[in-house]
Amino acid sequence: MNPQVSVDPDMGDPEEPIPNQSIMVLLVDDQIMVGEAVRRALLDEVGIEFHYCSNPLDALAIARTVQPTVILQDLVMPSVNGLDLVRQYRTDPHTRNIPIIVLSTKEEASVKSDAFRAGANDYLVKLPDRIELIARIRYHSAAYLSQIQRDEAYRALRKSQQELMQANFALQRLTNVDGLTGLSNRRYFDEYFETEWRQAARDRQPLSLLIIDIDHFKQFNDTYGHLAGDEVLRKVAQCVQAAFRRPKDLVVRLGGEEFVVVLPATPMSHLAMLGQRVVDAVEALDLAHSSSPVSDRVTISVGGAGCQPDREDRRLALMEAADKALYEAKRSGRNRAVIDRGL
């Protein structure tokens, strides 16, 4: 089957091109006889589509549209210097990688050198032997198509890698986030607390904790139901999160109705004020709790502790001290903050 051929008006009526042809040849030459000779040379070649441009001023626009796999470019034309046109192909993002075979009547080494320096891939003295011409067209087109496939494969790989990174990030976030409140979860707390402890030890900065518990939460669930209890957990979580806005402050849902706040670079002298502030903020939410013996509103108890990190074994002691303070806050009436100063 003969290849389909499209030509410019100077060579007669164009025929319809075959879609998705592997090889597309664009010849730019002002001599119609050269165009006809190349067309005839390629006529019986399966899989090669031929495009001809007799006006070099239109060459770049046609190349952008046709997207050939190889350009046959005459050097000597009346209106445009062939080497200047080669340079234009190389500076245009749509054509800069397309192989260019320069056609010239000259055999001089200096002319060839200028052509290669301008960006040509190959050089043929016209009119070239048919077999050699077809071989070079196929060779350069195959290399160009292989490069396109590699580029597409690379782009697909990069896209897949980015999608995988995004999926991994989303998965990592899900594994570190409490599904009900949107706060960090216990798993992330363990990692973060360890990291901040070591950082504080290196920087010789204090590290503090506040442990928060919703007062009489079981009675709330018994009275209002678990759906209402979940809503209270979310609102309290948002309230506590809003109370600690420094970039490194971390609010965590430990589980059930218990929360913890990691406060890097926070001395113990600040804890009483910070603890009372969050107690007051939760009470100000004005969430009804008719079964609470403390108040007719939802309240929290807070225990805090802080220290200057040094040995790793003291990290657990800090957590235990804050938990001990929370127990004391509950024992002494709830709806308050107590700070353990034993460390």
Side-chain angles (χ1 to χ4, degrees):
M1 177 173 140
N2 289 342
Q4 299 299 305
V5 179
S6 64
V7 298
D8 71 2
D10 291 335
M11 291 189 62
D13 296 332
E15 298 174 335
E16 286 293 319
I18 297 175
N20 300 321
Q21 282 281 53
S22 295
I23 296 178
M24 290 190 177
V25 178
L26 173 61
L27 170 65
V28 181
D29 195 305
D30 64 298
Q31 299 181 55
I32 296 177
M33 61 174 291
V34 174
E36 180 60 21
V38 174
R39 185 188 74 83
R40 289 179 179 276
L42 302 179
L43 190 61
D44 294 328
E45 289 300 311
V46 176
I48 296 181
E49 182 179 349
F50 177 65
H51 299 265
Y52 174 60
C53 173
S54 63
N55 185 354
L57 296 176
D58 298 332
L60 184 59
I62 292 175
R64 288 173 178 167
T65 303
V66 170
Q67 281 295 293
T69 59
V70 64
I71 297 173
L72 304 180
Q73 174 65 56
D74 188 19
L75 274 190
V76 182
M77 292 176 288
S79 54
V80 174
N81 183 298
L83 291 182
D84 289 340
L85 192 50
V86 170
R87 296 185 186 96
Q88 289 180 43
Y89 295 138
R90 288 296 174 245
T91 57
D92 190 289
H94 298 91
T95 60
R96 62 187 173 198
N97 296 320
I98 297 174
I100 300 171
I101 301 176
V102 165
L103 300 177
S104 175
T105 57
K106 299 179 179 180
E107 188 70 76
E108 289 92 336
S110 61
V111 177
K112 293 181 181 180
S113 175
D114 290 342
F116 287 120
R117 192 159 48 243
N121 299 85
D122 208 342
Y123 188 102
L124 283 174
V125 176
K126 64 178 183 182
L127 282 169
D129 176 78
R130 176 180 177 275
I131 295 176
E132 181 180 7
L133 174 65
I134 292 170
R136 296 195 187 219
I137 286 172
R138 291 193 179 278
Y139 171 79
H140 288 295
S141 293
Y144 178 60
L145 291 170
S146 295
Q147 182 63 54
I148 291 175
Q149 291 174 351
R150 286 194 296 271
D151 291 345
E152 290 176 350
Y154 178 74
R155 282 192 292 269
L157 177 61
R158 289 290 299 163
K159 182 179 179 182
S160 296
Q161 289 174 333
Q162 289 170 354
E163 291 173 348
L164 181 61
M165 288 174 62
Q166 291 170 353
N168 286 338
F169 178 79
L171 180 61
Q172 183 67 30
R173 185 179 181 279
L174 287 175
T175 61
N176 290 334
V177 172
D178 174 61
L180 178 64
T181 64
L183 298 178
S184 298
N185 60 16
R186 177 61 185 261
R187 178 179 181 274
Y188 186 67
F189 165 73
D190 291 337
E191 297 175 0
Y192 190 79
F193 187 28
E194 180 180 358
T195 299
E196 288 305 313
W197 178 274
R198 292 177 178 175
Q199 185 66 49
R202 285 194 297 270
D203 297 343
R204 301 191 62 79
Q205 290 287 326
L207 180 65
S208 296
L209 294 179
L210 293 176
I211 300 180
I212 299 167
D213 190 86
I214 300 177
D215 295 329
H216 299 294
F217 188 67
K218 180 180 183 305
Q219 289 89 326
F220 183 93
N221 278 335
D222 292 343
T223 302
Y224 297 96
H226 288 280
L227 290 179
D230 288 348
E231 185 61 23
V232 162
L233 283 171
R234 280 190 286 267
K235 289 181 176 178
V236 170
Q238 292 168 4
C239 181
V240 176
Q241 182 82 69
F244 301 96
R245 304 303 297 176
R246 294 185 309 171
K248 297 194 76 174
D249 292 347
L250 181 72
V251 181
V252 176
R253 184 188 178 198
L254 285 180
E257 67 273 25
E258 195 169 56
F259 305 87
V260 63
V261 185
V262 182
L263 297 166
T266 303
M268 190 184 301
S269 59
H270 292 183
L271 286 184
M273 178 270 293
L274 293 173
Q276 191 58 49
R277 184 174 70 183
V278 74
V279 167
D280 294 340
V282 170
E283 189 171 20
L285 291 174
D286 201 22
L287 303 173
H289 190 349
S290 61
S291 56
S292 171
V294 177
S295 169
D296 59 356
R297 291 175 289 179
V298 171
T299 60
I300 59 172
S301 297
V302 179
C307 70
Q308 170 62 62
D310 45 24
R311 305 188 314 271
E312 277 291 321
D313 58 349
R314 293 192 69 208
R315 184 155 51 91
L316 179 59
L318 177 58
M319 189 75 177
E320 290 174 344
D323 197 53
K324 178 182 174 184
L326 174 63
Y327 174 80
E328 181 60 27
K330 291 180 179 181
R331 191 192 65 79
S332 58
R334 304 178 191 258
N335 192 25
R336 68 192 63 206
V338 173
I339 307 303
D340 186 292
R341 302 184 184 277
L343 283 178

